[in-house]
């Protein structure tokens, strides 16, 4: 799965908040606040819409505690990264990881690093 720019910012925030406290209930307000501290200004409603889309993509789960809704990631950063790499390999290199690695090495001059 490949995330859009705002989706990955939200996921990075959720992964960070979950890593700080795995039992924490993460609200939309928590995500908005954390994004603002990273100089990403978005309306609450925009963040809510994107988070609800991530729920429909089975990346987040939404649950209610009291009168408020909270969110948790159902995949970790490593799973998401692996999925993105597989998607890129399949879309651009016919699933050939060797060709993809050669391309990356050539384009980013990894051999000299």
């Amino acid at each position: 799965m490949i995330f859009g720019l705002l989706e990955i910012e939200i996921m990075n925030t959720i992964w960070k908040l979950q890593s700080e406290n795995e039992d924490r209930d993460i609200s939309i307000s928590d995500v908005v606040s954390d994004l603002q501290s990273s100089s990403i200004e978005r309306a609450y409603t925009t963040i809510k819409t994107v988070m609800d889309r991530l729920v429909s993509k089975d990346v987040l789960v939404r649950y209610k505690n009291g009168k408020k809704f909270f969110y948790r990631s159902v995949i970790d950063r490593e799973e998401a990264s692996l999925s993105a790499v597989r998607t890129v390999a399949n879309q651009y290199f016919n699933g050939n990881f060797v060709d993809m690695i050669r391309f990356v090495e050539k384009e980013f001059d990894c051999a000299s690093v």
Side-chain angles (χ1 to χ4, degrees):
M1 167 178 290
I2 302 289
F3 292 110
L5 291 175
L6 186 52
E7 287 177 330
I8 196 60
E9 291 296 338
I10 289 170
M11 291 306 299
N12 282 330
T13 296
I14 289 174
W15 288 324
K16 180 181 89 168
L17 295 173
Q18 283 181 190
S19 73
E20 291 169 357
N21 178 355
E22 66 184 45
D23 296 326
R24 178 179 179 174
D25 292 326
I26 300 170
S27 69
I28 295 168
S29 297
D30 294 327
V31 174
V32 170
S33 176
D34 193 79
L35 289 173
Q36 286 175 341
S37 72
S38 302
S39 301
I40 299 171
E41 299 287 330
R42 292 287 192 269
Y44 178 96
T45 54
T46 300
I47 301 301
K48 180 187 182 320
T49 298
V50 174
M51 288 176 70
D52 287 340
R53 285 187 189 146
L54 290 167
V55 169
S56 69
K57 292 179 178 182
D58 296 324
V59 176
L60 295 178
V61 292
R62 183 177 71 180
Y63 59 96
K64 196 170 186 178
N65 189 354
K67 294 182 179 184
K68 199 169 183 181
F69 284 100
F70 297 96
Y71 296 79
R72 292 200 56 77
S73 174
V74 295
I75 62 170
D76 61 26
R77 186 184 315 269
E78 291 76 21
E79 290 174 281
S81 299
L82 184 56
S83 175
V85 168
R86 283 187 177 136
T87 298
V88 169
N90 288 330
Q91 289 180 348
Y92 296 100
F93 300 95
N94 295 320
N96 189 320
F97 287 98
V98 172
D99 286 349
M100 183 176 73
I101 291 167
R102 286 185 184 138
F103 171 81
V104 170
E105 287 175 338
K106 182 180 128 206
E107 288 300 311
F108 297 101
D109 198 22
C110 295
S112 66
V113 175

